[in-house]
Amino acid sequence: MVITAKQEALVVSSWNEMKDDAPTFALKFFLRLLEIIPSAAKRFSFLRDSSLPLDKNPKLKAHAMGVFVMTCEAATQLRKTGRVNVGANTSVQHLASVHFKAGVADVHFEVLKFALLETIKEAVPYMWSEELKEAWSESYDHLVVAIKNEM
Ligand code: HEM
């Protein structure tokens, strides 16, 4: 079992606390990544071509939200089937190809994980624990490994 029922429950219950403001939290952790590695912005076609401030860019928010939702959903998929399934509209191979072509590197995935965990800690401090951190980490790591294995 890669994710236990308890870990899935921790991810899902904290997600339920955050979901109403999830786009705001998602944008926050992505902006944190761009604060730590400003050059990562150049990887996004829609950031290269845009004069909008980063925090006002709807496509940046949509990507960040995708990361957040997929990480949460990965917990349930991993618990049920032992593997990550990114959904009907895309595939791990497609995501690997898009990220590979865009030049997304290990360090981007690593810093995004740090930013995601930091944001969750700030969003639900009353739920935060080593176990909650581990549960989100496992889910994110499996999702990223699935993508990177195809890159
Ligand atoms: C595109 C998910 C991490 C950069 C995408 C897309 C999805 C996605 C769903 C849209 C694919 C399409 O065009 O059909 C994820 C997930 C991640 C992740 C689940 C981690 C778990 C990252 C990181 C970066 C990044 C760390 C670093 C900068 C990009 C770029 C694109 C993209 C540059 C292409 C955007 C464009 O120019 O159109 N990602 N992403 N992603 N992602 Fe990620």
Side-chain angles (χ1 to χ4, degrees), residues 3 6-15 18 71 75 110 112-122 124-142:
I3 288 247
K6 186 174 181 197
Q7 285 180 312
E8 182 204 6
L10 284 170
V11 170
V12 172
S13 59
S14 54
W15 167 259
M18 295 183 282
T71 306
E110 270 306 307
L112 187 58
K113 177 180 170 182
F114 163 79
L116 168 74
L117 295 173
E118 196 179 69
T119 302
I120 295 171
K121 184 179 180 179
E122 285 168 15
V124 285
Y126 48 93
M127 295 184 95
W128 187 253
S129 65
E130 260 320 292
E131 283 180 306
L132 183 70
K133 180 182 174 185
E134 270 306 304
W136 277 95
S137 289
E138 284 284 323
S139 197
Y140 180 87
D141 286 346
H142 280 95

Side-chain angles (χ1 to χ4, degrees), residues 2-150:
V2 275
I3 288 247
T4 63
K6 186 174 181 197
Q7 285 180 312
E8 182 204 6
L10 284 170
V11 170
V12 172
S13 59
S14 54
W15 167 259
N16 284 336
E17 289 288 304
M18 295 183 282
K19 68 179 180 208
D20 289 348
D21 291 320
T24 307
F25 294 134
L27 185 63
K28 190 172 168 187
F29 69 69
F30 224 89
L31 291 175
R32 187 85 176 95
L33 162 73
L34 296 178
E35 200 179 286
I36 298 170
I37 316 181
S39 61
K42 291 198 214 90
R43 304 282 142 226
F44 290 90
S45 55
F46 50 79
L47 295 183
R48 289 195 295 271
D49 307 339
S50 170
S51 53
L52 279 176
L54 290 176
D55 61 338
K56 300 279 182 296
N57 194 304
K59 290 189 176 174
L60 185 65
K61 199 180 219 179
H63 177 270
M65 209 24 210
V67 173
F68 206 8
V69 171
M70 285 168 131
T71 306
C72 176
E73 289 176 348
T76 299
Q77 294 153 6
L78 285 159
R79 209 259 314 145
K80 281 193 179 150
T81 69
R83 54 194 296 272
V84 170
N85 172 353
V86 293
N89 299 325
T90 188
S91 67
V92 170
Q93 288 80 1
H94 172 72
L95 289 187
S97 157
V98 168
H99 291 89
F100 179 75
K101 283 185 197 143
V104 178
D106 286 359
V107 65
H108 297 125
F109 286 111
E110 270 306 307
V111 173
L112 187 58
K113 177 180 170 182
F114 163 79
L116 168 74
L117 295 173
E118 196 179 69
T119 302
I120 295 171
K121 184 179 180 179
E122 285 168 15
V124 285
Y126 48 93
M127 295 184 95
W128 187 253
S129 65
E130 260 320 292
E131 283 180 306
L132 183 70
K133 180 182 174 185
E134 270 306 304
W136 277 95
S137 289
E138 284 284 323
S139 197
Y140 180 87
D141 286 346
H142 280 95
L143 173 59
V144 168
V145 164
I147 296 173
K148 285 208 292 197
N149 279 346
E150 298 289 333

